[in-house]
């Protein structure tokens, strides 16, 4: 295989998050240290131990066709919003449909539809259940809608690997191009599951922060006083292109997707193991042809759980070292589960492109067991050549991505 097939660049970016309805507003809010986390005002949260979440800054129904939106789950809606922005940002590449693929990961798929239509069934009977229920709840729905929108016939794929789904989707996009199966891949992650049952489940597992009185301060990765993550919703999508294909159409490249590593722990259904994380990072570096010393920045998975942050600390220290700057933007967005890896990739791409790393919010006192160079207090500016981003999920899923200057 020729070297040009292996060289993959990022030409389009799209997002809708608790910080903003697009990439520009999300990135500006990250750099400003703003929080997208607030109280849940609905009555259904009154009896829950957790009443905070990272809700979308902009509603997808404001930009989608009304009839189309009614036939889509929220996670499908926001995936399409992010994909449209990314496609436009890439200049709407003219590519053969059979050479265009879509990979959109999600952790829970159409959970809101599943829960909502079950309530309808119980309360009103089968005749009131929507005929669109199945295509709205199926996990492959977001990838399918995006492929239909863009006319992509090179495959519509859906990694479902919990909180690593979005990053694994981007890794799969890299593989599709390197293997010569596509010239352009639209890849990312989406999640929308802010509802009583998921929140209650995470609360019972003691994984969710209970700082209901201070929502904006609740997510605090690496802080000594952290007490869990905050549930969030959102989507992020990137357009990946074979470098030669992008160059032939004079496309601008935000960054180069230099490498990816995907592993599984085979250890425990919820507890992470450092060995799997270390292997993912090392595989990503090998894929990129880089050494640990080449990595100047790490966007950490860092969800703000007491144990998870320490496991990742040990993993990064072992696989990369103590020299890179480290940040955790979940401190501002909350944990977007299946979309988290894609949002992390977005932050890493922009850090490399713009030469600035957002600070980790709410880091008042660094956990003494964390020896990493965690950026806090304000953005850190300076040219970056290579950045690595981590995503880890329940089930022992690990995905690491490496981005460099194009």
């Amino acid at each position: 295989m020729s070297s040009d097939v292996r060289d993959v660049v990022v030409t389009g970016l799209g997002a809708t998050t608790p910080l903003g309805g697009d990439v520009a507003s999300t990135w500006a809010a990250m750099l400003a240290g703003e929080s997208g986390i607030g109280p849940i005002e609905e009555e259904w949260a009154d009896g829950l131990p957790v009443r905070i979440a990272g809700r979308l800054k902009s509603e997808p129904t404001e930009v989608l066709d009304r009839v189309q939106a009614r036939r889509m789950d929220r996670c499908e809606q926001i995936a399409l919003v992010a994909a449209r922005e990314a496609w436009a940002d890439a200049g709407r590449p003219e590519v053969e449909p059979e050479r265009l693929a879509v990979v959109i990961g999600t952790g829970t798929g159409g959970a809101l539809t599943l829960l909502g239509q079950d309530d309808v069934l119980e309360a009103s009977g089968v005749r009131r259940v929507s005929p669109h229920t199945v295509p709205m709840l199926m996990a492959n729905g977001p990838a399918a809608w995006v492929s239909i929108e863009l006319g992509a016939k090179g495959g519509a794929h859906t990694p479902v690997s919990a909180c690593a789904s979005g990053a694994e989707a981007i890794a799969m996009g890299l593989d599709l191009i390197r293997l010569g199966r596509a010239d352009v891949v639209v890849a990312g992650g989406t999640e929308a599951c802010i509802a009583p049952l998921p929140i209650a489940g995470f609360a019972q597992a003691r994984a969710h922060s209970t700082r209901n009185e201070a929502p904006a301060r609740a997510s605090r990765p690496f802080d000594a006083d952290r007490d869990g993550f905050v549930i969030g919703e959102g989507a992020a999508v990137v357009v990946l292109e074979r470098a030669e294909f992008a160059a032939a159409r004079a496309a601008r490249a935000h960054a180069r997707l230099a490498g990816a590593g995907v592993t599984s722990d085979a250890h425990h259904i919820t507890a992470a193991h450092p060995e799997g994380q270390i292997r993912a990072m090392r595989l990503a570096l090998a894929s990129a042809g880089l050494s640990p010393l080449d990595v100047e920045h790490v966007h950490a998975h860092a969800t703000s759980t007491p144990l998870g942050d320490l496991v990742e600390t040990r993993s990064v220290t072992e696989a990369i070292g103590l020299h890179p700057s480290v940040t955790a933007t979940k401190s501002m967005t909350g944990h977007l589960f299946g979309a988290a890896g894609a949002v992390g990739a977005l932050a890493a791409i922009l850090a490399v492109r713009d030469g600035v790393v957002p600070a980790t919010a709410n880091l008042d006192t660094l956990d003494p067991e964390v020896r990493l160079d965690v950026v806090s207090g304000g953005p850190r500016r300076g040219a970056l050549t290579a950045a690595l981003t981590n995503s880890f999920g329940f089930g022992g899923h690990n995905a690491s991505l490496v981005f460099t200057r194009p």
Side-chain angles (χ1 to χ4, degrees), residues 11-382:
T11 59
L13 302 173
T16 180
T17 74
L19 295 175
D22 56 19
V23 170
S25 57
T26 294
W27 184 231
M30 281 184 179
L31 295 178
E34 297 176 7
S35 175
I37 299 169
I40 300 174
E41 304 289 358
E42 290 88 342
E43 290 184 3
W44 57 254
D46 289 348
L48 294 175
V50 172
R51 297 182 298 281
I52 55 176
R55 283 270 175 74
L56 289 176
K57 188 80 168 182
S58 299
E59 283 298 312
T61 51
E62 295 176 2
V63 297
L64 295 177
D65 175 78
R66 181 176 60 85
V67 175
Q68 183 185 42
R70 288 182 61 187
R71 296 178 179 179
M72 304 170 72
D73 183 82
R74 189 172 176 85
C75 78
E76 296 171 336
Q77 293 174 353
I78 59 181
L80 188 56
V81 168
R84 283 180 178 177
E85 183 188 8
W87 192 247
D89 184 50
R92 297 180 174 87
E94 293 185 8
V95 55
E96 291 296 323
E98 294 78 14
R99 302 290 298 168
L100 171 62
V102 172
V103 192
I104 305 292
T106 182
T108 62
L112 297 183
T113 292
L114 178 62
L115 296 170
Q117 290 301 307
D118 183 64
D119 289 342
V120 171
L121 177 63
E122 294 294 328
S124 305
V126 65
R127 291 185 179 275
R128 301 299 296 175
V129 173
S130 170
H132 303 292
T133 295
V134 173
M136 290 172 70
L137 67 82
M138 62 190 193
N140 62 302
W145 275 110
V146 173
S147 70
I148 292 168
E149 169 94 3
L150 302 179
K153 298 182 179 179
H157 309 277
T158 306
V160 180
S161 43
C163 308
S165 301
E168 193 165 329
I170 295 172
M172 186 174 185
L174 176 68
D175 287 342
L176 288 171
I177 295 176
R178 283 183 167 178
L179 290 169
R181 295 178 181 172
D183 293 317
V184 181
V185 179
V186 178
T190 185
E191 203 76 87
C193 60
I194 298 175
L197 185 59
I199 291 176
F202 286 125
Q204 286 297 97
R206 297 184 179 180
H208 203 296
S209 172
T210 55
R211 283 188 168 87
N212 298 309
E213 72 289 346
R217 302 276 295 162
S219 183
R220 40 199 319 114
F222 299 122
D223 189 78
D225 197 32
R226 66 190 182 280
D227 71 331
F229 63 71
V230 177
I231 189 171
E233 59 181 357
V237 171
V238 300
V239 176
L240 306 175
E241 296 190 41
R242 181 166 56 89
E244 186 180 60
F245 184 88
R249 67 183 192 88
R252 170 207 55 194
H254 295 285
R256 175 172 173 257
L257 175 54
V262 177
T263 68
S264 53
D265 293 344
H267 168 65
H268 190 275
I269 198 65
T270 57
H273 195 286
E275 190 271 338
Q277 298 179 2
I278 292 168
R279 282 195 302 117
M281 285 182 265
R282 287 178 172 167
L283 284 172
L285 290 175
S287 173
L290 299 177
S291 74
L293 289 176
D294 293 320
V295 177
E296 298 153 316
H297 172 58
V298 172
H299 184 281
H301 180 65
T303 63
S304 186
T305 59
L307 180 59
D309 288 6
L310 292 184
V311 172
E312 185 174 11
T313 293
R314 292 194 291 271
S315 300
V316 171
T317 301
E318 177 69 21
I320 307 295
L322 299 176
H323 60 279
S325 63
V326 176
T327 197
T329 57
K330 291 182 182 69
S331 58
M332 295 172 276
T333 64
H335 193 355
L336 276 56
F337 306 134
V343 174
L346 176 72
I349 291 166
L350 293 172
V352 170
R353 188 194 73 180
D354 297 349
V356 57
V357 174
T360 301
N362 303 323
L363 185 55
D364 297 333
T365 304
L366 186 67
D367 187 318
E369 294 189 52
V370 176
R371 298 167 54 216
L372 302 173
D373 179 18
V374 183
V375 179
S376 63
R380 184 179 298 178
R381 300 185 181 275

